[in-house]
């Protein structure tokens, strides 16, 4: 009878989160579309997945890296995400809807990972509500279909941290699993190495603190050595033995140019993104929704204040480790070449919510009535923000993005190149990663120079024979406008449609 009662007591904590999780997963998949916009990163990841499936060399990819514009994209991205995408490419080919739905599932998995983290200390209802607050934050929800590694990267980081914090370090399999997760996070994004550093610093501090009392515990040293060996081993096997990465052009090459200006610029962006996540800006960037709800500002300030207070007051070895992780992650971002938007910071948000919940628990833990009612504050922390996800956003994501690579006119241009241009032809294009993915031809991007002769010389240096111009992107590219005007005699128009024009260089 005790077993039955115990199971019935636990049933709501199993059934309700499971039902809610399935409903959220349905929302994620049902509201997904293929439109990625003009950020070329997604095309680089899918292109590398294609290289894995078709046995192409990364050094001979369609993307002709131009050191004159290093911020456009590196010669190749870390292989963690392309390797995950490669089975999808092998099964479905270049089907963007499949890829976008997969990324939406990784968005969902972030909420699942945060739920299990919170469940270690708090009730299922607290863990569930907090996870939903994260997933349905308008900025987080907006990026859920973006074909980028950030959500999966966060899931793996949280998984590695969870394994390190909560799993028995005396068991070999736990060390191997933790090492694999740490190594895969490093393979996903270069700054994934932060998780390995945080583990090293945390273990080192613990060993030093206990050295005089207990000596150096062999099990801890063995655990750390296995995690380190597995993480470094994965890097060596994947990036040195299985795939030969093109030299130069990585983000760490750009990190060499650290300056006070870059650090200050990144700090400003980090703080801005924190405020956007917790409070939202008065006018949302993507949907032109004017946010006049004062509750958003007040609730966001409360949430951010709770996170800061949790960072100061939360006690326990898990919080100590997570402080190291946050500190190191932010330190790396400060010297990063450019913190472009909130997705660079995304792994910090679940951890900050953990500290916010811990702070609420600490500040309001006196008396039974207060203990029961204190968690009512959680849904109010960002009250007013969540009704932004309504018909306006839903309708927006169902409409083709103006000028996106997936737009019919652009796809027609890529198809023309695939079917009528030589396989070894070289092109110049606004976004060579996108062009290389859809047109399957080599492409480069010109430097941002006002000198038309210099650009022409640059195109000849890369043996470019053709130039594809997108009319929508041309409106925002003064450099190309001046080049087309000054060098029209060197260009022979081959084909055009409503949005695109294909030129041959004479």
């Amino acid at each position: 009878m005790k077993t039955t009662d115990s199971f019935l007591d636990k049933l709501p904590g199993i059934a309700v989160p499971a039902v809610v999780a399935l409903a959220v997963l349905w929302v994620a998949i049902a509201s997904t579309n293929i439109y990625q916009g003009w950020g070329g990163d997604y095309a680089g990841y899918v292109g590398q997945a294609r290289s894995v499936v078709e046995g192409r060399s990364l050094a001979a990819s369609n993307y002709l890296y131009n050191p004159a514009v290093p911020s456009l994209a590196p010669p190749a991205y870390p292989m963690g995400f392309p390797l995950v995408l490669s089975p999808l490419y092998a099964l479905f080919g270049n089907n963007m809807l499949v890829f976008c739905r997969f990324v939406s599932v990784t968005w969902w998995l972030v909420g699942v990972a945060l739920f299990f983290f919170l469940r270690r200390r708090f009730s299922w209802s607290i863990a569930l509500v907090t996870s939903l607050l994260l997933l349905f934050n308008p900025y987080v929800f907006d990026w859920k279909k973006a074909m980028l590694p950030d959500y999966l990267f966060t899931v793996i980081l949280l998984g590695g941290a969870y394994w390190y914090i909560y799993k028995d370090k005396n068991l070999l399999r736990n060390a191997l699993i933790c090492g694999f997760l740490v190594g895969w996070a490093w393979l996903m994004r270069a700054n994934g190495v932060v998780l390995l550093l945080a583990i090293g610093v945390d273990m080192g501090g613990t060993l030093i603190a206990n050295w005089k009392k207990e000596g150096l515990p062999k099990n801890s040293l063995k655990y750390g050595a296995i995690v380190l060996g597995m993480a470094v081993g994965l890097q060596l096997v994947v990036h040195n033995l299985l795939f030969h990465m093109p030299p130069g052009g990585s983000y760490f090459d750009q990190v060499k140019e650290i300056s006070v200006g870059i650090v200050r610029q990144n700090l400003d962006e980090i703080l801005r993104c924190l405020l956007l996540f917790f409070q939202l800006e008065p006018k949302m960037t993507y949907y032109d929704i004017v946010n006049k709800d004062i509750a958003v500002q007040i609730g966001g300030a409360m949430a951010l204040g709770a996170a800061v207070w949790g960072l100061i007051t939360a006690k326990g070895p898990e919080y100590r480790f997570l402080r190291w992780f946050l500190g190191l992650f932010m330190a790396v971002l400060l010297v990063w070449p450019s913190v472009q938007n909130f997705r660079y910071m995304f792994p910090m948000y679940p951890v900050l919510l953990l500290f916010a919940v811990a702070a609420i628990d600490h500040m309001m833990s006196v008396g039974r009535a207060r203990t029961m009612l204190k968690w009512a504050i959680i849904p109010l922390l960002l009250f007013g923000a969540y009704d932004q996800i309504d018909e306006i956003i839903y309708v927006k994501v169902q409409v083709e993005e103006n000028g996106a690579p997936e737009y019919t006119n652009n796809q027609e241009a890529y198809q023309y190149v695939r079917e009528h241009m030589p396989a070894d032809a070289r092109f110049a294009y606004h976004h060579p990663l996108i062009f290389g993915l859809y047109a399957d031809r080599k492409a480069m991007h010109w430097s941002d120079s006002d000198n038309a002769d210099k650009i022409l010389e640059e195109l000849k240096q890369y043996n470019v024979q053709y130039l594809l111009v997108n009319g929508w992107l041309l409106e925002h590219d003064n450099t190309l406008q001046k080049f087309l005007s000054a060098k029209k005699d060197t260009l022979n128009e081959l084909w055009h449609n409503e949005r695109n024009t294909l030129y041959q260089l004479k």
Side-chain angles (χ1 to χ4, degrees):
M1 188 66 182
K2 282 187 177 181
T3 303
T4 304
D5 290 340
S6 177
F7 176 75
L8 290 176
D9 289 339
K10 294 178 179 179
L11 186 58
I14 299 172
V16 175
V19 170
V20 172
L22 290 175
V24 171
L25 181 59
W26 178 85
V27 169
I29 294 174
S31 62
T32 299
N33 63 54
I34 62 175
Y35 302 107
Q36 294 293 303
W38 284 108
D41 287 348
Y42 80 93
Y45 288 116
V46 177
Q48 285 178 225
R50 176 170 62 189
S51 296
V52 172
V53 174
E54 299 179 357
R56 302 186 186 189
S57 168
L58 296 179
S61 71
N62 285 325
Y63 174 43
L64 300 174
Y65 173 70
N66 184 356
V69 280
S71 59
L72 182 68
Y77 296 89
M79 286 302 299
F81 196 50
L83 283 174
V84 173
L85 296 178
S86 57
L88 295 175
Y89 190 91
L91 291 171
F92 302 101
N94 189 22
N95 187 327
M96 287 306 299
L97 185 59
V98 170
F99 291 127
C100 292
R101 283 178 172 168
F102 169 74
V103 174
S104 291
V105 171
T106 67
W107 163 85
W108 174 77
L109 286 173
V110 173
V112 173
L114 179 58
F115 175 84
F116 280 106
F117 237 116
L118 286 164
R119 194 67 185 90
R120 297 292 305 203
R121 275 186 172 256
F122 308 103
S123 71
W124 66 265
S125 56
I126 295 165
L128 181 61
V129 172
T130 307
S131 299
L132 292 175
L133 286 174
L134 172 67
L135 290 180
F136 287 98
N137 177 284
Y139 282 92
V140 177
F141 186 79
D142 174 56
W143 279 84
K144 75 171 182 59
K145 69 181 180 65
M147 253 297 305
L148 295 167
D150 301 281
Y151 288 143
L152 185 58
F153 176 54
T154 302
V155 171
I156 296 172
L157 284 175
L158 291 176
Y162 185 93
W163 227 265
Y164 171 72
I165 293 170
Y166 294 116
K167 296 295 182 178
D168 186 353
K169 295 180 178 60
N170 294 316
L171 298 179
L172 175 61
R173 69 169 181 270
N174 287 337
L176 291 172
I177 292 172
C178 183
F180 178 82
L181 291 169
V182 170
W184 205 264
W186 192 2
L187 285 175
M188 292 285 290
R189 288 188 71 93
N191 58 343
V193 71
V194 164
L195 183 57
L196 179 63
L197 295 176
I199 289 175
V201 171
D202 186 69
M203 292 191 71
T206 302
L207 290 174
I208 292 172
N210 296 329
W211 188 359
K212 292 184 179 180
K213 297 178 182 178
E214 304 172 4
L216 292 176
K218 293 182 179 179
N219 286 341
S220 294
L221 293 174
K222 182 180 178 181
Y223 183 92
I226 292 172
V227 171
L228 176 64
M230 178 68 81
V232 174
L234 275 174
Q235 279 286 321
L236 293 175
V237 169
V238 173
H239 283 159
N240 294 90
L241 297 179
L242 296 179
F243 304 97
H244 298 285
M245 307 298 285
S250 73
Y251 286 118
F252 284 126
D253 290 330
Q254 297 178 46
V255 166
K256 296 175 184 176
E257 305 297 326
I258 295 173
S259 68
V260 174
I262 289 176
V263 172
R264 176 57 191 271
Q265 178 181 323
N266 286 342
L267 178 60
D268 288 345
E269 181 67 8
I270 289 170
L271 295 176
R272 187 184 76 87
C273 289
L274 277 174
L275 291 175
L276 293 183
F277 175 78
F278 282 105
Q279 293 185 285
L280 300 186
E281 57 189 332
K283 187 173 182 181
M284 290 183 67
T285 304
Y286 298 102
Y287 302 114
D288 293 331
I289 299 173
V290 178
N291 175 13
K292 298 179 180 179
D293 195 337
I294 191 64
V296 176
Q297 307 299 322
I298 296 174
M302 291 170 61
L304 185 55
V308 173
W309 185 246
L311 282 167
I312 297 171
T313 62
K315 297 179 180 179
E318 66 266 53
Y319 293 120
R320 181 189 65 216
F321 170 74
L322 291 173
R323 285 190 189 95
W324 280 119
F325 171 77
L326 280 177
L328 290 167
F329 196 89
M330 186 166 177
V332 169
L333 286 185
L334 285 174
V335 298
W336 212 242
S338 175
V339 179
Q340 298 174 8
N341 49 50
F342 104 98
R343 73 180 183 89
Y344 278 59
M345 287 183 57
F346 183 72
M348 296 176 65
Y349 295 133
V351 180
L352 287 172
L353 285 179
L354 282 165
F355 279 105
V357 174
I360 295 169
D361 186 41
H362 176 72
M363 290 186 291
M364 306 177 69
S365 58
V366 179
R368 177 172 174 77
R370 293 180 64 185
T371 302
M372 293 172 59
L373 295 175
K374 64 186 176 183
W375 298 113
I377 195 174
I378 289 183
L380 299 178
L381 289 178
L382 297 179
F383 174 76
Y386 292 87
D387 62 357
Q388 310 284 349
I389 302 175
D390 56 12
E391 292 182 2
I392 298 176
I393 291 180
Y394 181 78
V395 171
K396 179 77 174 182
V397 299
Q398 299 302 313
V399 179
E400 288 184 326
E401 181 180 342
N402 182 32
E406 298 79 19
Y407 195 69
T408 305
N409 284 319
N410 296 326
Q411 289 294 313
E412 184 180 38
Y414 305 141
Q415 183 178 356
Y416 181 88
V417 169
R418 286 197 310 270
E419 295 179 354
H420 296 89
M421 296 289 101
D424 60 350
R426 292 189 168 210
F427 293 76
Y429 189 59
H430 309 267
H431 290 272
L433 286 169
I434 293 171
F435 182 88
L437 176 65
Y438 289 114
D440 200 14
R441 297 293 185 274
K442 293 187 179 298
M444 57 86 68
H445 183 74
W446 49 90
S447 59
D448 187 14
S449 172
D450 288 332
N451 189 324
D453 290 324
K454 183 178 179 180
I455 292 178
L456 183 60
E457 181 181 343
E458 189 177 31
L459 298 181
K460 290 180 178 179
Q461 176 188 346
Y462 284 88
N463 298 317
V464 169
Q465 303 151 293
Y466 304 95
L467 172 64
L468 182 62
V469 178
N470 178 283
W472 187 82
L473 294 174
L474 179 63
E475 295 175 6
H476 310 281
D477 192 333
N478 292 328
T479 297
L480 185 58
Q481 290 177 23
K482 293 176 181 179
F483 173 79
L484 293 175
S485 176
K487 297 299 179 182
K488 58 184 177 182
D489 293 337
T490 67
L491 301 172
N492 179 33
E493 182 178 320
L494 296 180
W495 175 89
H496 74 274
N497 66 6
E498 183 182 349
R499 190 176 293 275
N500 301 274
T501 304
L502 178 64
Y503 297 100
Q504 183 178 25
L505 273 69
K506 296 179 181 178

